[in-house]
Amino acid sequence: MHTISKYIIGFLLAFFCINVVYAQQEAMYSQYMFNTLAINPAYAGSRNVVSATALYRNQWVGIEGAPSTQTISFDGATSNKKVGLGFQVFNDEIGISKTTGAFASYAYRIRMDKGTLAFGLQAGAALYTANFSRVALNPTGAPDVSFAQDVRTVQPNFGAGVYYNSDKFYLGVSVPQMLGNTLNNNTNISSSRLIARQYTHLFIAAGYVFDINKDIKIKPSVLFKGVQGAPLQLDINSNVWFFDIFSIGLQYRTEADIAAMTEIQLNSQIRFGYAYDRSTTRLADFNSGSHEFMLRYEFGSAKSKLLSPRYF
Protein backbone atom coordinates (compact mmCIF):
# COMPACT_ATOMS: atom_id res chain seq x y z
CA MET A 1 0.00 0.00 0.00
CA HIS A 2 1.28 3.48 -0.87
CA THR A 3 2.57 5.58 2.01
CA ILE A 4 0.03 8.31 1.25
CA SER A 5 -2.80 5.72 1.56
CA LYS A 6 -1.55 4.81 5.04
CA TYR A 7 -1.73 8.44 6.03
CA ILE A 8 -5.29 8.68 4.68
CA ILE A 9 -6.45 5.66 6.67
CA GLY A 10 -4.61 6.88 9.76
CA PHE A 11 -6.34 10.22 9.49
CA LEU A 12 -9.74 8.58 9.07
CA LEU A 13 -9.19 6.39 12.12
CA ALA A 14 -8.04 9.31 14.22
CA PHE A 15 -10.89 11.54 13.14
CA PHE A 16 -13.77 9.04 13.22
CA CYS A 17 -12.74 6.82 16.11
CA ILE A 18 -10.73 8.84 18.63
CA ASN A 19 -12.48 12.20 18.54
CA VAL A 20 -16.14 13.06 18.84
CA VAL A 21 -17.70 12.51 15.41
CA TYR A 22 -19.66 15.28 13.68
CA ALA A 23 -20.20 13.89 10.19
CA GLN A 24 -22.24 11.70 7.87
CA GLN A 25 -22.62 8.41 9.74
CA GLU A 26 -25.33 6.51 7.84
CA ALA A 27 -24.15 4.09 5.17
CA MET A 28 -24.08 5.75 1.75
CA TYR A 29 -25.77 4.34 -1.37
CA SER A 30 -25.73 5.65 -4.91
CA GLN A 31 -28.73 3.51 -5.86
CA TYR A 32 -30.84 4.69 -2.93
CA MET A 33 -33.83 5.13 -5.28
CA PHE A 34 -33.87 1.32 -5.73
CA ASN A 35 -33.30 0.64 -2.02
CA THR A 36 -35.44 3.31 -0.35
CA LEU A 37 -36.29 1.12 2.66
CA ALA A 38 -32.71 1.72 3.82
CA ILE A 39 -33.50 5.40 4.45
CA ASN A 40 -37.30 5.57 4.89
CA PRO A 41 -39.45 2.99 6.75
CA ALA A 42 -42.64 4.41 5.19
CA TYR A 43 -41.49 2.92 1.85
CA ALA A 44 -42.45 -0.57 3.09
CA GLY A 45 -45.15 -2.09 0.90
CA SER A 46 -45.25 0.81 -1.56
CA ARG A 47 -44.68 -1.49 -4.55
CA ASN A 48 -47.70 -3.64 -3.63
CA VAL A 49 -45.69 -6.84 -4.06
CA VAL A 50 -43.41 -8.83 -1.79
CA SER A 51 -39.86 -8.09 -2.87
CA ALA A 52 -36.31 -8.77 -1.75
CA THR A 53 -33.45 -6.40 -2.51
CA ALA A 54 -29.73 -7.06 -2.04
CA LEU A 55 -27.09 -4.36 -2.39
CA TYR A 56 -23.30 -4.50 -2.22
CA ARG A 57 -21.08 -1.41 -2.26
CA ASN A 58 -17.28 -1.42 -2.44
CA GLN A 59 -16.08 2.16 -1.97
CA TRP A 60 -12.72 3.74 -2.92
CA VAL A 61 -11.22 0.61 -4.45
CA GLY A 62 -7.47 0.54 -3.90
CA ILE A 63 -7.44 2.09 -0.43
CA GLU A 64 -6.96 -0.42 2.36
CA GLY A 65 -9.72 -0.19 4.96
CA ALA A 66 -12.08 1.78 2.70
CA PRO A 67 -15.85 1.45 3.34
CA SER A 68 -17.66 -1.73 2.32
CA THR A 69 -21.42 -2.11 2.74
CA GLN A 70 -23.83 -5.02 2.29
CA THR A 71 -27.58 -4.95 2.88
CA ILE A 72 -30.56 -7.24 2.28
CA SER A 73 -34.14 -6.05 2.70
CA PHE A 74 -37.61 -7.55 2.36
CA ASP A 75 -40.88 -5.65 2.17
CA GLY A 76 -44.47 -6.11 1.12
CA ALA A 77 -48.06 -5.00 1.75
CA THR A 78 -50.87 -6.84 3.48
CA SER A 79 -53.76 -8.16 1.38
CA ASN A 80 -55.84 -5.00 1.90
CA LYS A 81 -52.84 -2.79 0.98
CA LYS A 82 -53.33 -0.68 4.13
CA VAL A 83 -50.21 -1.88 5.94
CA GLY A 84 -46.66 -2.28 4.69
CA LEU A 85 -44.09 -4.43 6.48
CA GLY A 86 -40.35 -4.50 5.96
CA PHE A 87 -37.17 -6.01 7.35
CA GLN A 88 -33.55 -5.22 6.59
CA VAL A 89 -30.16 -6.47 7.71
CA PHE A 90 -26.93 -4.64 6.98
CA ASN A 91 -23.19 -4.74 7.49
CA ASP A 92 -21.02 -1.64 7.15
CA GLU A 93 -17.23 -1.78 7.52
CA ILE A 94 -14.59 0.95 7.45
CA GLY A 95 -11.05 0.44 8.66
CA ILE A 96 -11.01 -1.30 12.03
CA SER A 97 -14.71 -0.67 12.70
CA LYS A 98 -17.79 -2.67 11.71
CA THR A 99 -21.51 -2.07 12.25
CA THR A 100 -23.92 -4.99 11.79
CA GLY A 101 -27.61 -4.64 12.49
CA ALA A 102 -31.24 -5.31 11.66
CA PHE A 103 -34.38 -3.16 11.56
CA ALA A 104 -38.08 -3.99 11.19
CA SER A 105 -40.39 -1.46 9.52
CA TYR A 106 -44.13 -0.78 9.71
CA ALA A 107 -46.03 1.58 7.40
CA TYR A 108 -49.68 2.60 7.58
CA ARG A 109 -50.86 3.40 4.06
CA ILE A 110 -53.71 5.72 3.08
CA ARG A 111 -55.03 5.47 -0.45
CA MET A 112 -55.63 8.86 -2.08
CA ASP A 113 -57.03 9.99 -5.46
CA LYS A 114 -53.83 9.49 -7.46
CA GLY A 115 -51.43 7.86 -5.06
CA THR A 116 -50.76 6.53 -1.57
CA LEU A 117 -49.60 8.37 1.55
CA ALA A 118 -47.75 6.27 4.13
CA PHE A 119 -46.53 6.90 7.67
CA GLY A 120 -43.75 4.57 8.77
CA LEU A 121 -41.84 3.53 11.88
CA GLN A 122 -38.83 1.29 12.28
CA ALA A 123 -36.99 -0.21 15.23
CA GLY A 124 -33.93 -2.36 15.63
CA ALA A 125 -30.37 -2.51 16.86
CA ALA A 126 -26.81 -2.59 15.58
CA LEU A 127 -23.67 -4.22 16.94
CA TYR A 128 -20.72 -1.82 16.68
CA THR A 129 -17.17 -3.17 16.99
CA ALA A 130 -13.81 -1.42 16.68
CA ASN A 131 -10.61 -3.47 16.88
CA PHE A 132 -8.25 -0.81 18.16
CA SER A 133 -5.78 -3.44 19.42
CA ARG A 134 -5.15 -4.58 15.82
CA VAL A 135 -3.89 -1.19 14.67
CA ALA A 136 -0.19 -1.42 13.75
CA LEU A 137 1.52 1.21 15.91
CA ASN A 138 5.18 2.15 16.16
CA PRO A 139 6.74 -0.94 17.81
CA THR A 140 9.55 1.07 19.37
CA GLY A 141 7.31 3.76 20.83
CA ALA A 142 5.47 3.86 24.14
CA PRO A 143 2.13 1.98 24.28
CA ASP A 144 -0.85 4.12 23.36
CA VAL A 145 -3.73 3.58 25.80
CA SER A 146 -6.19 4.87 23.19
CA PHE A 147 -5.56 1.67 21.19
CA ALA A 148 -5.27 -0.76 24.10
CA GLN A 149 -8.90 -1.84 24.31
CA ASP A 150 -11.34 -2.98 21.63
CA VAL A 151 -14.91 -1.68 21.51
CA ARG A 152 -17.98 -3.87 21.26
CA THR A 153 -21.42 -2.42 21.97
CA VAL A 154 -25.06 -2.90 20.97
CA GLN A 155 -26.86 0.28 19.93
CA PRO A 156 -30.70 0.15 19.75
CA ASN A 157 -32.49 2.76 17.68
CA PHE A 158 -35.75 3.71 15.99
CA GLY A 159 -36.81 5.98 13.16
CA ALA A 160 -39.79 7.41 11.32
CA GLY A 161 -40.75 8.60 7.87
CA VAL A 162 -43.50 9.81 5.56
CA TYR A 163 -43.75 8.65 1.96
CA TYR A 164 -46.13 9.56 -0.86
CA ASN A 165 -46.03 7.81 -4.22
CA SER A 166 -48.04 7.42 -7.38
CA ASP A 167 -47.17 5.62 -10.63
CA LYS A 168 -45.02 8.56 -11.78
CA PHE A 169 -44.03 10.51 -8.62
CA TYR A 170 -42.68 10.01 -5.12
CA LEU A 171 -41.75 12.24 -2.17
CA GLY A 172 -40.36 11.06 1.13
CA VAL A 173 -39.12 12.67 4.36
CA SER A 174 -37.44 10.51 6.98
CA VAL A 175 -35.26 10.33 10.06
CA PRO A 176 -34.15 6.68 10.10
CA GLN A 177 -32.31 6.78 13.45
CA MET A 178 -33.49 9.14 16.19
CA LEU A 179 -31.52 8.04 19.25
CA GLY A 180 -28.17 9.74 19.83
CA ASN A 181 -26.23 6.70 21.05
CA THR A 182 -22.83 7.42 22.54
CA LEU A 183 -19.64 5.39 22.49
CA ASN A 184 -17.18 5.45 25.37
CA ASN A 185 -13.64 4.11 25.56
CA ASN A 186 -14.39 1.64 28.35
CA THR A 187 -17.18 0.35 30.58
CA ASN A 188 -16.04 2.18 33.70
CA ILE A 189 -18.53 5.05 33.78
CA SER A 190 -16.55 7.10 36.26
CA SER A 191 -13.46 7.19 34.03
CA SER A 192 -14.95 6.65 30.57
CA ARG A 193 -14.29 9.18 27.82
CA LEU A 194 -16.72 9.98 25.02
CA ILE A 195 -15.14 9.08 21.67
CA ALA A 196 -18.17 9.04 19.35
CA ARG A 197 -21.83 9.96 19.16
CA GLN A 198 -24.63 9.23 16.70
CA TYR A 199 -26.42 12.24 15.28
CA THR A 200 -29.86 12.49 13.73
CA HIS A 201 -29.89 12.36 9.92
CA LEU A 202 -32.63 13.96 7.85
CA PHE A 203 -33.39 12.61 4.36
CA ILE A 204 -35.71 14.23 1.80
CA ALA A 205 -36.12 12.32 -1.47
CA ALA A 206 -38.24 13.01 -4.54
CA GLY A 207 -38.53 11.79 -8.12
CA TYR A 208 -40.76 11.99 -11.18
CA VAL A 209 -41.14 10.09 -14.46
CA PHE A 210 -41.60 12.10 -17.67
CA ASP A 211 -42.91 10.38 -20.80
CA ILE A 212 -40.90 11.39 -23.87
CA ASN A 213 -42.76 8.89 -26.05
CA LYS A 214 -44.14 5.38 -25.60
CA ASP A 215 -40.64 3.88 -25.56
CA ILE A 216 -38.51 6.46 -23.73
CA LYS A 217 -38.97 7.96 -20.27
CA ILE A 218 -36.79 10.26 -18.16
CA LYS A 219 -36.74 9.85 -14.38
CA PRO A 220 -35.00 12.70 -12.52
CA SER A 221 -34.67 12.40 -8.73
CA VAL A 222 -32.99 14.18 -5.83
CA LEU A 223 -31.91 13.24 -2.32
CA PHE A 224 -31.19 15.84 0.34
CA LYS A 225 -29.09 14.70 3.32
CA GLY A 226 -28.58 16.74 6.46
CA VAL A 227 -26.77 15.93 9.71
CA GLN A 228 -25.45 18.08 12.52
CA GLY A 229 -21.86 19.21 12.04
CA ALA A 230 -21.53 18.14 8.38
CA PRO A 231 -22.16 20.12 5.17
CA LEU A 232 -25.59 19.69 3.62
CA GLN A 233 -25.38 17.21 0.76
CA LEU A 234 -27.53 16.86 -2.35
CA ASP A 235 -27.65 13.92 -4.77
CA ILE A 236 -28.96 14.93 -8.20
CA ASN A 237 -29.86 12.04 -10.51
CA SER A 238 -31.34 11.48 -13.95
CA ASN A 239 -32.16 8.11 -15.50
CA VAL A 240 -33.41 7.45 -19.02
CA TRP A 241 -35.62 4.38 -19.45
CA PHE A 242 -35.86 2.55 -22.77
CA PHE A 243 -38.85 0.29 -23.50
CA ASP A 244 -39.41 -0.12 -19.72
CA ILE A 245 -36.60 -2.69 -19.83
CA PHE A 246 -33.31 -0.92 -19.14
CA SER A 247 -32.05 2.48 -18.11
CA ILE A 248 -28.85 4.50 -18.00
CA GLY A 249 -28.24 7.46 -15.73
CA LEU A 250 -25.91 9.96 -14.12
CA GLN A 251 -25.60 11.20 -10.57
CA TYR A 252 -23.83 14.17 -9.00
CA ARG A 253 -23.22 14.25 -5.24
CA THR A 254 -22.26 17.74 -4.12
CA GLU A 255 -18.59 18.11 -3.16
CA ALA A 256 -18.08 14.34 -3.31
CA ASP A 257 -18.73 12.18 -6.39
CA ILE A 258 -20.12 11.71 -9.84
CA ALA A 259 -21.62 8.37 -10.81
CA ALA A 260 -22.81 6.44 -13.84
CA MET A 261 -25.69 4.02 -13.31
CA THR A 262 -27.53 1.37 -15.26
CA GLU A 263 -30.51 -0.82 -14.49
CA ILE A 264 -32.09 -3.70 -16.39
CA GLN A 265 -35.35 -5.58 -15.92
CA LEU A 266 -34.21 -9.11 -16.70
CA ASN A 267 -37.76 -10.51 -16.50
CA SER A 268 -40.99 -9.75 -14.63
CA GLN A 269 -39.40 -10.72 -11.32
CA ILE A 270 -35.68 -9.86 -11.46
CA ARG A 271 -34.08 -6.43 -11.73
CA PHE A 272 -30.33 -5.71 -11.70
CA GLY A 273 -28.58 -2.39 -11.13
CA TYR A 274 -24.99 -1.18 -11.16
CA ALA A 275 -23.37 2.15 -10.27
CA TYR A 276 -19.79 3.35 -10.65
CA ASP A 277 -18.72 6.37 -8.59
CA ARG A 278 -15.69 8.58 -9.07
CA SER A 279 -14.59 11.14 -6.48
CA THR A 280 -14.53 14.80 -7.48
CA THR A 281 -12.07 15.57 -4.68
CA ARG A 282 -8.32 14.88 -4.36
CA LEU A 283 -9.25 11.46 -3.01
CA ALA A 284 -9.62 10.39 -6.66
CA ASP A 285 -5.81 10.37 -6.92
CA PHE A 286 -5.59 7.44 -4.49
CA ASN A 287 -8.36 5.05 -5.59
CA SER A 288 -9.94 3.65 -8.75
CA GLY A 289 -13.54 4.51 -7.88
CA SER A 290 -16.46 2.82 -6.13
CA HIS A 291 -18.65 -0.06 -7.35
CA GLU A 292 -22.22 -0.76 -6.28
CA PHE A 293 -24.39 -3.72 -7.29
CA MET A 294 -28.14 -4.13 -6.71
CA LEU A 295 -30.37 -7.17 -7.26
CA ARG A 296 -34.13 -7.18 -6.67
CA TYR A 297 -36.52 -10.14 -6.82
CA GLU A 298 -40.32 -9.75 -6.77
CA PHE A 299 -42.24 -12.78 -5.52
CA GLY A 300 -45.33 -13.73 -7.53
CA SER A 301 -44.87 -11.11 -10.27
CA ALA A 302 -44.73 -13.78 -12.95
CA LYS A 303 -48.22 -15.02 -11.99
CA SER A 304 -49.99 -11.68 -12.27
CA LYS A 305 -49.91 -9.00 -14.94
CA LEU A 306 -48.54 -5.71 -13.65
CA LEU A 307 -50.91 -2.80 -14.18
CA SER A 308 -48.01 -0.42 -14.71
CA PRO A 309 -44.20 -0.57 -14.57
CA ARG A 310 -42.68 0.10 -11.15
CA TYR A 311 -40.14 2.89 -11.41
CA PHE A 312 -39.56 3.36 -7.65
Side-chain angles (χ1 to χ4, degrees):
M1 183 175 65
H2 297 298
T3 302
I4 186 66
S5 298
K6 294 182 179 180
Y7 286 133
I8 292 174
I9 297 302
F11 173 80
L12 289 173
L13 292 175
F15 186 76
F16 285 98
C17 297
I18 301 174
N19 299 295
V20 178
V21 176
Y22 297 95
Q24 183 79 28
Q25 296 166 323
E26 298 283 353
M28 182 179 67
Y29 307 98
S30 291
Q31 299 177 95
Y32 66 87
M33 68 290 290
F34 312 135
N35 190 37
T36 309
L37 190 64
I39 61 174
N40 191 339
Y43 179 81
S46 64
R47 297 170 62 81
N48 289 320
V49 294
V50 177
S51 64
T53 303
L55 190 145
Y56 171 78
R57 180 177 177 84
N58 190 12
Q59 191 166 327
W60 301 337
V61 174
I63 296 181
E64 185 177 342
S68 176
T69 305
Q70 306 87 40
T71 178
I72 299 177
S73 62
F74 301 85
D75 79 290
T78 57
S79 58
N80 60 11
K81 311 300 182 185
K82 292 184 178 181
V83 172
L85 300 174
F87 182 75
Q88 58 175 314
V89 295
F90 62 90
N91 180 66
D92 189 33
E93 300 181 46
I94 176 171
I96 61 170
S97 66
K98 179 169 71 171
T99 304
T100 303
F103 280 84
S105 303
Y106 171 91
Y108 182 75
R109 310 174 69 228
I110 303 172
R111 182 65 187 176
M112 307 182 76
D113 289 342
K114 296 183 178 181
T116 302
L117 178 65
F119 300 88
L121 295 172
Q122 72 174 19
L127 172 64
Y128 174 84
T129 59
N131 297 315
F132 288 98
S133 61
R134 296 183 184 180
V135 176
L137 303 175
N138 184 355
T140 61
D144 190 333
V145 295
S146 298
F147 293 86
Q149 185 176 0
D150 293 338
V151 173
R152 183 182 177 89
T153 180
V154 175
Q155 300 174 326
N157 221 312
F158 70 94
V162 179
Y163 185 79
Y164 173 84
N165 75 290
S166 65
D167 290 339
K168 296 292 182 72
F169 173 75
Y170 75 92
L171 173 65
V173 180
S174 59
V175 180
Q177 299 197 42
M178 292 185 172
L179 295 182
N181 290 307
T182 59
L183 180 65
N184 298 306
N185 63 342
N186 58 51
T187 57
N188 186 342
I189 299 178
S190 62
S191 61
S192 64
R193 178 171 57 87
L194 177 66
I195 58 175
R197 181 191 300 275
Q198 286 183 310
Y199 286 93
T200 300
H201 291 58
L202 171 67
F203 293 90
I204 302 175
Y208 190 85
V209 176
F210 294 92
D211 292 320
I212 303 302
N213 55 45
K214 67 175 183 178
D215 296 325
I216 300 176
K217 299 175 176 65
I218 296 179
K219 188 184 75 172
S221 60
V222 295
L223 174 65
F224 168 88
K225 294 174 281 188
V227 59
Q228 177 183 340
L232 300 179
Q233 194 170 75
L234 182 67
D235 288 9
I236 303 171
N237 316 272
S238 182
N239 294 76
V240 182
W241 272 93
F242 300 93
F243 310 105
D244 290 330
I245 297 177
F246 70 95
S247 74
I248 56 175
L250 294 174
Q251 178 184 93
Y252 172 68
R253 181 175 298 118
T254 55
E255 299 182 5
D257 306 284
I258 57 173
M261 297 180 290
T262 186
E263 187 179 3
I264 182 169
Q265 190 75 41
L266 298 174
N267 56 40
S268 62
Q269 293 179 282
I270 301 174
R271 179 177 294 191
F272 173 79
Y274 169 75
Y276 173 77
D277 299 13
R278 189 68 174 166
S279 299
T280 57
T281 67
R282 291 192 60 190
L283 192 61
D285 297 335
F286 311 109
N287 72 92
S288 59
S290 304
H291 301 276
E292 188 175 289
F293 302 88
M294 184 276 297
L295 183 65
R296 171 181 285 164
Y297 183 85
E298 294 184 343
F299 297 88
S301 295
K303 299 178 181 179
S304 61
K305 184 178 180 180
L306 303 180
L307 297 178
S308 62
R310 297 182 176 94
Y311 299 104
F312 313 118

